[in-house]
Amino acid sequence: MSGRRRTRAQRRLQPGPGRGKRQPRTLRTRLVVSAVALIAVVCAVIGTVTTIALGQHLDKQLNDQVKEVGQRAAGGPVRPGGDGMGGGPLPDEPFGFVTKGGTEANTVVAEVSDTGGRITAAVVAKEKNSDSEVFEGMTTESLDDAQTAALSKVPKTGTHDVDIPGLGEYRVRYVEGGRGNFYVALPTAEVTGTLNTLIIVELSVTGAGLVAAGIAGSALVGVALRPLRKVAATATRVSELPLHTGEVTLNERVPESETDPHTEVGQVGAALNRMLDHIHGALHSRQESEMRVRQFVADASHELRTPLASIRGYAELTRRGREEIGPDTRHALGRIESESGRMTLLVEDLLLLARLDAGRPLQFERTDLIPLVVDTVSDARAAGRSHNWRLDLPDAPALVSADAARLQQVLVNLLANARTHTPPGTTVTARVQRRGPWMCVDVEDDGQGIPEELLPHVFERFARGDSSRSRASGSTGLGLAIVQAVADAHGGAVTVDSVPGRTVFTVHLPVLGGPAPLLDDAANWQLDDLDHDADPDAGDDAGQDFADAAHRHPDSQAQHSVSTRA
C-alpha cells in the first residue's frame, strides 16, 4: 500500500506529464479539410462524368468513321446487275481509294476472298515522305504475316478492338459490298490520347483548385473563427485566475462586439458572460462568508485565551493551596488543567490559521535551517525518549528567506506528528538538503505508514489518524494544516510520501539567492550511538552529547553537519 499527497503549490514544482497521444485537429483544420474534401469529391464526380461522356462520344465518332471507310472500300449493296449501288467507277485496284484522297493516315484495309474468307491482301495508309511541309498524298504499305494474322482473327460481325503488332490498337469492322469483302480499321490512339489528355488536365486543374481552395478556405475560416478565438482567450484568462481561495476579482468578459445573439459565436460569448457573472457573484458571496467565519474564529480564539488562562491558573492555585483536598478533587483539578491546556493549544492553532488565511505578513529574514532543525530535534528527543532520533545535515549553511518562528513551529509539528503516530523504538530522521531551486527539510520515520484512505486528507483541518477522534494523544488535528499554511505563505510547499515502513514529510522552501551549497554527505561526522533505553542514567549523557553536537562550533555554520542517532 503506497500513496502520495501533494499540495497545490507543490504541483508547480513538478513538470507536466508528457503527452504521448496525438493532438486532435483544430476546428479550423477540420473545417478546411472537410471543405476541400467536399470540393475534391465534386470535382471527381464532374471529371468522371465528363470523361465517360467524352469517351462515349469519341467511340461513336470512331465507329462512324470506320463505317464510312468500309462503305468507301466495299461500295454499296450489290444490285441485281452486279454493280454496287452508289459505288461510283471501280478503281484500277482494290486499294485504289486509299490513295485517291480522303483517307486518314494509318488506315488499315484488308481484302477478303469470297471463298474461304481468307485475307488475300492487306495494306496500311501512309503519308508520302517529302522534304517539304506540303502534303503530297497517301501511299500504301503491305502488312506482314503477323499483322495479317491478327487482323484475320477479328469476328465478321460488329465492331471490335484488336492490337495489331507494330501498329497498336485498332477499331476493326468487316464489310461486304459490290466491290468485294474487306476488313477496315482505324487506330484508337487518337481517342485514347484525347481521353488521357482530358484526365491529366482534370487532375491538374482539380489539384490546383484544391490547393487554392485550401489556402483561401484557411484564410476565410480563420477570419470567421476570430470571434471564437476571442471567446476562448477570455475563457483561458479566467481559467488562469486563482479562484480556489482568497478574494477573487473576476473582471474578464467577452467583448460586447462578440456577443451578438444573432450569430452562433455571439450566443456562446453571451452565455459565457452570463456564466462569469454568476461565478463572480458566487465567489463574492463565498469570500464574504469565509471572511465572516475567519473573523469569528479569530475573535473567538482571541477572547478565549484569557478565560482559559484564568481557568488553568485557578485550578493550579486550588490544587497547590494549603487546604487538604481529597483524591477525587485533586484528579478533577488535574483534568481541568489538562483540558484547559489542550483547549489553549487548539485556540492558539485556530488563531494562527486565521491570521495566515487573512494574509497577515510574516517577518521574513535571512534564516539558516540547520540550527532550527538541531534545536527542534533536541526538543523532540527530550519529549520522546522512546524514539530514536537522527540528524542528516549538510556542511554548508542552508539559507532561506523565512520567518524563523513559523518555520520552527512547522518543524515542531512534523516531529510531534512522527512521535505521536509511531510506536516506541521508531527511528525518526530530520534531513536538510538542497534540490535544485528548493531547500528541502525531510522528516522521515520507519513506522507503520499512513493509511491509504487517509493520505489524501492529511493536510486538511481536523484530520486525524483515528476515526474515533481520540484525545489521548493530545492532537488537535490542526498541526499538518498549519504546516501547509506556513509553507504556502513562504512560497513553498509540503509533500508526503508514505508506504509501510517509510513515511517522509518534505517541506520545500525557495533557496536564498547565491551559489548552490555543496552537499557532501561523506564529510558528515558522526557521534557515538546512544541507547538511553538500555541505561536510564545514560539518558542525560546522551542528551548532553546531542547538545554538544549541535553547538560544538557556534560561530561556524559549516560545522553543523550531524548524522547521529540519539
Side-chain angles (χ1 to χ4, degrees), residues 176-200:
E176 297 177 351
R179 298 176 183 174
N181 303 329
F182 295 89
Y183 278 114
V184 294
L186 289 177
T188 61
E190 185 175 355
V191 174
T192 304
T194 301
L195 293 177
N196 290 339
T197 302
L198 176 63
I199 293 174
I200 292 174

Side-chain angles (χ1 to χ4, degrees), residues 367-400:
T367 304
D368 187 358
L369 294 177
I370 295 178
L372 287 178
V373 173
V374 171
D375 292 343
T376 52
V377 172
S378 299
D379 296 341
R381 174 198 167 276
R385 290 183 172 271
S386 60
H387 286 66
N388 299 321
W389 302 93
R390 292 180 182 273
L391 284 171
D392 186 1
L393 307 176
D395 291 335
L399 299 179
V400 295

